[in-house]
Amino acid sequence: MTDRDAHHDDASPDEDRRQSGDSWRESTVRTDGGADAAGADEAVLDPWGSSTVEDYRKLFEQFGIESFDDVLPGVPNPHYLMRRGVIFGHRDYSPVAEAMRNDDPFASLSGFMPTGDPHIGHKMVFDEIIWHQQQGADAYALIADLEAHAARELPWSEIDEHARSYVLSLLALGFDPEEGKLYRQSDDRELQDLAFELGAETNFSELQAIYDFDGETDVSHMQSVVTQMADILYPQLEEPTPTVIPVGPDQDPHMRLARDLAARMRYFGVTEAFASFEAEAVERTLLRQAYDAREKYAADPEMPRCVEAADYLRDQAPADARESVVEKLDNAGKEPIRPRTRIFDRNATEDAFEALIGAVDGEKRVYDEHIDAFDLDRAEADELAREVELDTGGYGFLPPSSVYHRFMTGLTGGKMSSSIPASHISLLDDPEDGYDKVKSATTGGRTTAEEQREKGGKADECPVYELYAYLLSGDDDEFAEEVYDECVGGERLCGGCKEQAAELMEQFLEDHQAKRAEWEDKLDELDIDLDSHRMRS
Ligand code: TRP
Ligand code: SF4
């Protein structure tokens, strides 16, 4: 058994199949990163490192990325990459799906480092942005030129050339530049202002912990991180809306930081509270328990007192934070326990806090750093807090959402890498070269035709099958399924299968490049300036 076999066996136990119960779909799901067995136990997500992922399921456990299957049923007309499990994970996609269902505003944004030619891996992300745009999203695509210059040290002349090429492919695939927005990081003042503000909430230790930065990391690289944070929140500058960022899982560290920063920038937070004192989340659980049990111990159940609740909790089974909450209740003495909604000052200006006091209707109590509202539920308080924040100069950001797609396996078997031309297909490849690359690709076929007829091919381990599932079948599920079934059933032999795929690829490249050529002449009319005017290399 080779390493590759071992890896695949290990990465695709029957357990997977039980969960999804659909072997065709499951098979596409299992097609993963490649033969590198190194580091197989430890998923490492490094935005500037190698982008192989050995086992996608580990990302769920280790990083809290959620399975896309959970939200799929709530997505109207899901994209084929979603249906086939190529988009395998997400963070917080539900608000986006909900906005889509209700025809509410939402946005989608992704960015591209112009370090080389756009290839079929980028096409997935282009398609994701375009699909969201077609579902009604405000769509954004940006050229991460500051990042390319800072993190990859690319000279500006090359950046310009590649930037142009990314934009052309995006347009050729169907991005509507009238409805959506294209920009480059270096050229957008609003973006840079936002990056600066976000930088004031981010410190070095944090970047060190997330990205492994150290004393040698240059400042521009760090700046490119806050710039990406600003990219991710940029669609919300006009108005806070659910926003989805389609990316590869290597970008997840950025998403975690961006979600964190979105919360940190908020003026106010909202929690449930039971008395005037502050309590941690675990303590609140006990307070809720004590309040619900008031009939059992309160002299007047209409007005249970803190000391009474303290005595009650003291006699209950030990629990996390029981001691601390009992102490707080004791200190509060005869104060009645009353559920309320608390809006607390997180990062607000004085004016904003004043405005909030005025805006809370009904019974309220005002403290130094929070307001207790007795007639607002949490959702109402949330909305109010955001309104006041927006009225008083805050951003009111919603935490951005993300979706993650699988990386394609290289045509040569290992990872798809821009430094190995035969491993990937560039959107600029001569259609005949595209044809040839597919014809010489590694397959999941058996050693002899006879064996293949008998045992069937291993479509799950076949880069050519991946091409069908990720690209060549387009929206046609039936076709993708047919290729799969014929392969594993032994009816399909690799020679013919590759011939068909190669022809489809050649056709795709021809069409794509013709559409790029049509856009060439119209590029000047677009808002985006594709010459960076930067003198230094
Ligand atoms: N860092 C991304 C990459 O390496 C590019 C990028 C910049 C990006 N800003 C972004 C991606 C915002 C998604 C959203 O490709
Ligand atoms: Fe791959 Fe096609 Fe061969 Fe099956 S028949 S292993 S899908 S090349």
Side-chain angles (χ1 to χ4, degrees):
M1 205 193 244
T2 64
D3 272 353
R4 186 174 161 76
D5 289 334
H7 165 66
H8 274 277
D9 285 349
D10 171 75
S12 52
D14 285 337
E15 203 179 278
D16 264 352
R17 193 148 291 173
R18 259 185 269 129
Q19 280 171 5
S20 121
D22 175 343
S23 74
W24 166 71
R25 182 159 180 283
E26 184 50 37
S27 68
T28 62
V29 170
R30 286 184 302 142
T31 328
D32 68 4
D36 271 6
D41 286 323
E42 183 76 12
V44 186
L45 293 175
D46 175 0
W48 302 282
S50 119
S51 31
T52 6
V53 172
E54 295 299 332
D55 183 345
Y56 287 91
R57 282 170 310 148
K58 289 210 175 98
L59 302 180
F60 301 151
E61 289 145 37
Q62 282 184 25
F63 299 104
I65 291 176
E66 288 176 276
S67 161
F68 197 80
D69 283 351
D70 301 344
V71 284
L72 185 62
V75 182
N77 345 297
H79 189 268
Y80 71 81
L81 292 172
M82 295 172 169
R83 301 199 298 266
R84 290 177 206 160
V86 177
I87 293 172
F88 71 94
H90 75 105
R91 270 186 202 278
D92 204 16
Y93 192 67
S94 300
V96 177
E98 193 184 327
M100 231 182 270
R101 289 194 303 270
N102 300 341
D103 257 333
D104 287 337
F106 68 105
S108 180
L109 169 142
S110 197
F112 305 90
M113 250 208 283
T115 51
D117 291 339
H119 55 66
I120 53 176
H122 297 114
K123 178 185 179 286
M124 286 196 274
V125 184
F126 294 148
D127 285 346
E128 289 177 69
I129 300 176
I130 293 163
W131 179 82
H132 280 100
Q133 182 175 44
Q134 290 162 351
Q135 309 308 304
D138 278 328
Y140 297 75
L142 66 103
I143 300 297
D145 55 354
L146 293 180
E147 185 183 1
H149 194 60
R152 292 278 157 81
E153 281 145 37
L154 226 74
W156 287 105
S157 55
E158 278 179 47
I159 288 178
D160 281 359
E161 181 194 323
H162 295 137
R164 220 182 140 71
S165 189
Y166 277 81
V167 168
L168 279 175
S169 278
L170 179 68
L171 293 165
L173 289 167
F175 184 84
D176 178 351
E178 310 261 304
E179 290 295 322
K181 176 163 171 110
L182 295 165
Y183 70 88
R184 51 194 294 167
Q185 290 176 327
S186 67
D187 220 13
D188 194 298
R189 184 56 211 244
E190 251 192 308
L191 174 84
Q192 289 167 19
D193 288 349
L194 176 58
F196 186 82
E197 299 296 332
L198 294 168
E201 289 293 324
T202 318
N203 65 35
F204 177 65
S205 315
E206 191 173 18
L207 298 187
Q208 196 173 24
I210 301 173
Y211 303 108
D212 236 0
F213 284 179
D214 60 24
E216 302 297 306
T217 307
D218 53 78
V219 176
S220 298
H221 194 173
M222 295 190 236
Q223 199 182 332
S224 79
V225 170
V226 290
T227 306
Q228 178 155 352
M229 298 304 108
D231 288 330
I232 292 171
L233 296 169
Y234 187 84
Q236 299 196 57
L237 278 179
E238 239 167 75
E239 180 196 6
T241 40
T243 304
V244 57
I245 314 292
V247 274
D250 61 310
Q251 299 290 306
D252 185 57
H254 289 310
M255 287 312 304
R256 277 178 275 151
L257 179 57
R259 288 171 59 79
D260 218 59
L261 281 172
R264 249 183 266 166
M265 297 295 282
R266 292 302 307 278
Y267 280 8
F268 307 108
V270 176
T271 58
E272 185 183 35
F274 294 87
S276 58
F277 57 80
E278 314 258 345
E280 305 291 329
V282 269
E283 296 173 332
R284 283 200 296 272
T285 313
L286 292 177
L287 289 168
R288 162 60 61 199
Q289 249 173 45
Y291 180 74
D292 289 346
R294 62 192 180 281
E295 301 277 354
K296 292 193 190 140
Y297 60 79
D300 174 5
E302 297 281 296
M303 203 181 272
R305 308 275 175 179
C306 285
V307 274
E308 293 175 316
D311 291 342
Y312 168 75
L313 283 176
R314 222 187 319 265
D315 293 340
Q316 300 302 111
D320 257 1
R322 188 182 68 166
E323 261 171 61
S324 65
V325 82
V326 165
E327 193 185 327
K328 286 180 182 180
L329 285 164
D330 266 333
N331 288 340
K334 295 214 146 150
E335 184 187 334
I337 302 188
R338 273 179 75 194
R340 65 200 71 188
T341 300
R342 176 163 297 167
I343 311 178
F344 59 94
D345 184 343
R346 197 184 251 156
N347 208 354
T349 58
E350 249 172 69
D351 287 352
F353 193 67
E354 284 303 314
L356 180 68
I357 297 172
V360 172
D361 282 335
E363 188 184 345
K364 63 188 155 193
R365 242 167 255 169
V366 177
Y367 300 83
D368 265 0
E369 304 212 322
H370 65 257
I371 301 171
D372 283 356
F374 293 84
D375 301 323
L376 288 181
D377 64 25
R378 285 190 58 178
E380 290 164 336
D382 255 331
E383 207 184 306
L384 184 73
R386 192 182 308 274
E387 266 168 35
V388 171
E389 178 176 344
L390 290 169
D391 285 347
T392 51
Y395 297 106
F397 290 135
L398 295 167
S401 315
S402 48
V403 287
Y404 302 107
H405 60 77
R406 281 162 197 270
F407 296 118
M408 279 177 152
T409 309
L411 297 176
T412 42
K415 85 177 246 237
M416 189 172 275
S417 156
S418 13
S419 54
I420 313 167
S423 77
H424 77 284
I425 290 173
S426 154
L427 296 176
L428 309 189
D429 273 347
D430 194 65
E432 275 166 39
D433 290 345
Y435 174 95
D436 289 341
K437 281 185 189 177
V438 176
K439 284 288 272 197
S440 6
T442 307
T443 71
R446 308 282 175 177
T447 335
T448 62
E450 200 180 25
E451 195 189 341
Q452 177 117 343
R453 281 200 193 90
E454 197 183 309
K455 297 183 182 154
K458 296 192 239 174
D460 296 333
E461 297 171 27
C462 177
V464 178
Y465 176 68
E466 246 180 69
L467 290 180
Y468 280 105
Y470 286 44
L471 189 152
L472 301 174
S473 308
D475 215 30
D476 189 348
D477 285 350
E478 240 167 75
F479 178 49
E481 207 163 341
E482 185 183 296
V483 172
Y484 184 83
D485 290 343
E486 286 177 4
C487 168
V488 299
E491 296 152 52
R492 192 173 257 267
L493 298 184
C494 296
C497 183
K498 286 210 276 188
E499 175 62 30
Q500 189 180 17
E503 281 167 20
L504 288 168
M505 183 61 78
E506 185 175 359
Q507 191 59 52
F508 162 74
L509 289 171
E510 257 168 40
D511 292 348
H512 181 66
Q513 290 167 16
K515 290 194 191 117
R516 278 175 57 104
E518 284 170 28
W519 276 102
E520 282 282 354
D521 308 329
K522 294 189 271 180
L523 267 191
D524 288 346
E525 297 160 27
L526 300 182
D527 262 349
I528 187 167
D529 183 356
L530 292 163
D531 299 309
S532 52
H533 316 291
R534 298 207 169 202
M535 304 317 277
R536 304 285 309 267
S537 67

